[in-house]
């Protein structure tokens, strides 16, 4: 037993020393995380996101460290703050200079989370993930995160970066674990009727254009119960990925269903920015970090 544990640890350490953690996988995740906030800042009235009352910024910082927010520092010219943020997010998506944009991306995500009155769980997740990604961006020896990985002979740095990836995976797994377990305290989720109430919710339910399509399905108890309990079961499966044995295909299957899961949430409830954030999280969580995603459109 002890020999098997020692062998597993030695194998993991050997892989950490030899595999390259700086590929376009984490770059793809950064792109989705940046797209999430970019869409919000581009297509939402800035006065709704950062309202003022009698020329006073409505959401005042609760703590001193929240005063570093760009939206608080430039609260008298919130459109300029949003323009700067949009430019930073666009540069982040292009992939250039991750050593600089990694810090700036976190700063914008953190600023939005602490200053906007319209935030959701995805904004908090984006703020955490962009912070955890900073060590990876700082140690990337490429000028662009879309470029092919460069050979690196920094075993100690690699070990540190792989430990960061593990912390990120642990964070994402906890998100899905909490999402599933929290539902167990609601009788509507336990009896299988929660989907019906959320789909017909006045604010978060399906749009008027989809109601005629969805209502006949909601009239069938088997469908409602299957979706409700299926949601909790799938969230448990996503949490369990942390302990699963990986191979060449299972991560692709789970990622596909995970992406479709969040796309369906966006389709039903309109949470577009949340969808981009969670797909970005799934990329970090499910896709092997030493894997290179083939993107023929990028010739950088």
């Amino acid at each position: 037993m002890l020999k098997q544990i020692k062998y597993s640890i030695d194998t993991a350490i050997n892989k950490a020393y030899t595999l390259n953690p700086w590929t376009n996988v984490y770059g793809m995740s950064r792109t989705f995380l940046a797209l999430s906030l970019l869409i919000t800042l581009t297509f939402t009235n800035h006065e709704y996101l950062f309202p003022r009352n009698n020329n006073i910024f409505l959401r005042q910082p609760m703590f001193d460290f929240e005063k570093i927010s760009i939206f608080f520092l430039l609260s008298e010219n919130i459109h300029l703050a949003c323009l700067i943020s949009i430019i930073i997010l666009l540069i982040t998506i292009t992939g250039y200079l991750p050593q600089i944009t990694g810090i700036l991306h976190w700063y914008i995500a953190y600023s939005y989370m602490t200053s906007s009155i319209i935030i959701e769980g995805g904004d908090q997740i984006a703020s955490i993930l962009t912070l955890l990604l900073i060590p990876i961006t700082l140690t990337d020896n490429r000028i662009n995160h879309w470029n092919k990985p460069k050979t690196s002979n920094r075993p100690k740095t690699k070990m540190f970066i792989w430990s960061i990836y593990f912390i990120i995976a642990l964070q994402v797994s906890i998100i899905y674990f909490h999402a599933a377990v929290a539902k167990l305290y609601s009788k509507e989720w336990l009896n299988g009727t929660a989907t019906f109430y959320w789909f017909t919710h006045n604010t978060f339910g399906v749009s008027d254009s989809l109601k005629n399509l969805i209502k006949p399905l909601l009239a069938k108890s088997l469908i409602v119960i299957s979706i409700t309990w299926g949601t909790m079961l799938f969230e448990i499966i996503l949490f369990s990925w942390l302990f699963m044995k990986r191979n060449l295909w299972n991560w692709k299957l789970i990622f596909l269903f995970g992406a479709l899961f969040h796309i369906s949430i966006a389709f039903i409830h309109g949470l577009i920015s949340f969808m981009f954030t969670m797909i970005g999280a799934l990329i970090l969580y499910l896709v092997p970090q030493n894997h290179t995603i083939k993107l023929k459109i990028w010739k950088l």
Side-chain angles (χ1 to χ4, degrees):
M1 180 69 176
L2 291 176
K3 288 183 178 180
Q4 181 63 37
I5 294 175
K6 184 178 183 302
Y7 174 78
S8 299
I9 294 175
D10 290 342
T11 302
I13 293 174
N14 182 60
K15 287 184 178 180
Y17 279 146
T18 56
L19 297 179
N20 193 333
W22 299 283
T23 67
N24 64 2
V25 171
Y26 97 91
M28 179 67 78
S29 174
R30 293 182 70 216
T31 296
F32 274 90
L33 293 173
L35 275 172
S36 173
L37 186 52
L38 178 65
I39 290 172
T40 300
L41 294 177
T42 303
F43 297 104
T44 309
N45 190 321
H46 299 158
E47 303 299 334
Y48 294 158
L49 298 174
F50 312 100
R52 296 167 63 86
N53 186 16
N54 296 325
N55 291 326
I56 299 176
F57 197 53
L58 192 59
R59 186 175 177 184
Q60 291 293 312
M62 296 180 61
F63 307 99
D64 288 340
F65 53 79
E66 292 185 357
K67 293 180 180 179
I68 67 171
S69 165
I70 187 175
F71 303 110
F72 177 73
L73 295 175
L74 297 178
S75 59
E76 294 184 359
N77 194 343
I78 202 67
H79 297 298
L80 176 60
C82 290
L83 177 61
I84 294 173
S85 301
I86 289 172
I87 292 173
I88 290 173
L89 293 171
L90 286 172
I91 296 174
T92 299
I93 292 171
T94 66
Y96 282 103
L97 299 175
Q99 303 82 0
I100 298 174
T101 58
I103 297 173
L104 294 178
H105 185 189
W106 165 77
Y107 174 60
I108 299 303
Y110 174 78
S111 296
Y112 180 80
M113 185 192 69
T114 57
S115 297
S116 177
I117 66 166
I118 305 177
I119 62 171
E120 33 92 350
D123 301 311
Q124 297 170 327
I125 294 169
S127 179
I128 295 171
L129 293 181
T130 51
L131 176 62
L132 291 173
L133 283 170
I134 289 178
I136 303 174
T137 61
L138 286 176
T139 54
D140 194 342
N141 59 8
R142 299 169 298 171
I143 194 174
N144 191 301
H145 69 212
W146 295 112
N147 288 348
K148 293 181 178 180
K150 291 184 178 181
T151 302
S152 175
N153 296 317
R154 299 175 289 170
K156 292 182 179 179
T157 303
K158 285 183 178 180
M159 182 65 73
F160 172 66
I161 296 304
W162 284 117
S163 68
I164 296 296
Y165 276 126
F166 175 76
I167 294 173
I168 292 174
L170 183 62
Q171 172 66 71
V172 177
S173 70
I174 291 174
I175 290 171
Y176 285 109
F177 177 77
H178 180 267
V181 172
K183 293 179 175 65
L184 299 178
Y185 293 91
S186 169
K187 64 178 182 180
E188 287 79 14
W189 282 100
L190 287 177
N191 63 29
T193 61
T195 297
F196 175 85
Y197 295 113
W198 278 113
F199 279 30
T200 57
H201 194 279
N202 290 333
T203 303
F204 299 105
V206 297
S207 62
D208 292 337
S209 59
L210 295 176
K211 282 184 178 179
N212 292 333
L213 176 65
I214 297 297
K215 277 188 175 181
L217 299 177
L218 297 179
K220 301 181 183 299
S221 59
L222 180 60
I223 293 178
V224 174
I225 293 174
S226 298
I227 295 175
T228 303
W229 288 351
T231 298
M232 292 188 288
L233 177 61
F234 186 62
E235 288 170 339
I236 289 294
I237 291 174
L238 285 171
F239 157 70
S240 302
W241 174 253
L242 191 67
F243 312 99
M244 292 183 190
K245 185 176 181 180
R246 291 89 192 274
N247 56 41
L248 295 176
W249 63 270
N250 61 356
W251 67 267
K252 297 179 182 179
L253 183 64
I254 297 179
F255 177 78
L256 174 62
F257 282 107
L260 291 174
F261 174 66
H262 288 291
I263 290 172
S264 65
I265 291 175
F267 182 74
I268 296 295
H269 303 292
L271 300 176
I272 304 298
S273 60
F274 180 75
M275 174 194 71
F276 279 105
T277 296
M278 294 313 300
I279 291 179
L282 286 175
I283 292 172
L284 287 172
Y285 185 45
L286 298 174
V287 182
Q289 287 81 18
N290 63 296
H291 181 77
T292 299
I293 301 174
K294 295 181 180 180
L295 297 170
K296 295 182 180 179
I297 60 173
W298 293 97
K299 299 290 184 180
L300 301 176

